[in-house]
Amino acid sequence: SLKIKASERQTILNKLVGVLRKKYGRSEPQTQRPVFESLLFAACLEDAPTAAAEAALQRLRDGFYDLNEIRVSSISQIERYLTGLSNPPWRALRIRDALHTVFETHYKFDLEHLKRKTHEQALKELSALRHSSFFMRMYVLQHCLGAHVLPLDASSLSLLKWLGLVEPEATQESAAEELKTSVRK
């Protein structure tokens, strides 16, 4: 397979961002969410447009009395509010697992303490969520803790492979690590 030099990859990525900006405009301003809410949002955002993820999370919050009611609900009850997103049952499982694990660990739905930890410690705690995805963990690290990481989902990985920017056998983790130096924080 053809190996792209780091400088060439960076040039390609910069051009790609320029093309995407022309077509879609600048990226949306970062919404400052609490850490735990960012985790739930990431479960909705993975492989989905931002507007669809925002709408799904809002439907979920409006459809239940509070987060505890979601925590004790069935996967099928939760997935009803995740319409418009791919694979609602898997997303519902991730959301309910996050609610269960965080509540059973801290007796509240709050992960703000992660902001006081190192990125490595925060990642370890986020990895303890059994059904959290690589994307969810990296999204929280990037958006809440300011880590220089790339939250790649399956869609972005497929695009990167198609463009030849990562090897065909690359995983989300290996591609994110490989591209980190080519992407500005």
Side-chain angles (χ1 to χ4, degrees):
S1 79
L2 184 62
K3 197 79 163 152
I4 297 176
K5 292 181 198 172
S7 61
E8 292 170 341
R9 183 185 344 229
Q10 190 164 10
T11 301
I12 293 169
L13 286 169
N14 286 338
K15 286 182 181 180
L16 177 62
V17 168
V19 169
L20 292 172
R21 270 200 189 119
K22 270 187 181 173
K23 177 144 178 78
Y24 298 106
R26 290 201 154 284
S27 61
E28 296 179 22
Q30 296 288 331
T31 305
Q32 285 297 351
R33 292 181 164 84
V35 177
F36 186 70
E37 189 176 325
S38 293
L39 181 69
L40 299 180
F41 178 66
C44 295
L45 181 61
E46 188 168 356
D47 291 314
T50 302
E54 293 275 6
L57 185 60
Q58 191 59 53
R59 281 192 306 275
L60 190 62
R61 304 253 311 144
D62 293 344
F64 291 91
Y65 178 72
D66 61 9
L67 292 175
N68 196 52
E69 186 182 0
I70 300 171
R71 180 180 70 91
V72 297
S73 296
S74 70
I75 300 299
S76 59
Q77 288 171 318
I78 298 168
E79 73 179 88
R80 284 186 215 137
Y81 297 94
L82 302 176
T83 56
L85 301 177
S86 62
N87 208 346
W90 189 235
R91 292 173 194 274
L93 174 66
R94 287 177 172 165
I95 289 168
R96 194 180 73 176
D97 177 60
L99 290 163
H100 269 282
T101 305
V102 170
F103 188 78
E104 289 171 12
T105 305
H106 304 289
Y107 301 106
K108 58 185 176 179
F109 301 110
D110 185 358
L111 290 175
E112 292 304 301
H113 66 278
L114 293 182
K115 290 180 176 179
R116 295 183 302 277
K117 295 187 179 239
T118 66
H119 294 156
E120 188 177 304
Q121 291 168 328
L123 179 58
K124 184 177 180 183
E125 186 166 333
L126 291 169
S127 296
L129 302 170
R130 286 180 313 198
H131 298 290
S132 69
S133 65
F134 172 79
F135 176 84
M136 290 169 63
R137 294 186 299 271
M138 295 303 110
Y139 182 88
V140 169
L141 285 177
Q142 182 186 64
H143 289 263
C144 298
L145 308 175
H148 181 54
V149 295
L150 298 178
L152 297 179
D153 56 17
S155 300
S156 55
L157 180 62
S158 292
L159 174 65
L160 292 168
K161 287 178 180 181
W162 184 80
L163 290 171
L165 295 172
V166 297
E167 294 296 320
E169 63 277 356
T171 63
Q172 289 167 317
E173 293 88 345
S174 66
E177 190 60 35
E178 187 178 336
L179 292 176
K180 188 166 74 171
T181 58
S182 300
V183 176
R184 280 187 280 148
K185 188 174 181 180

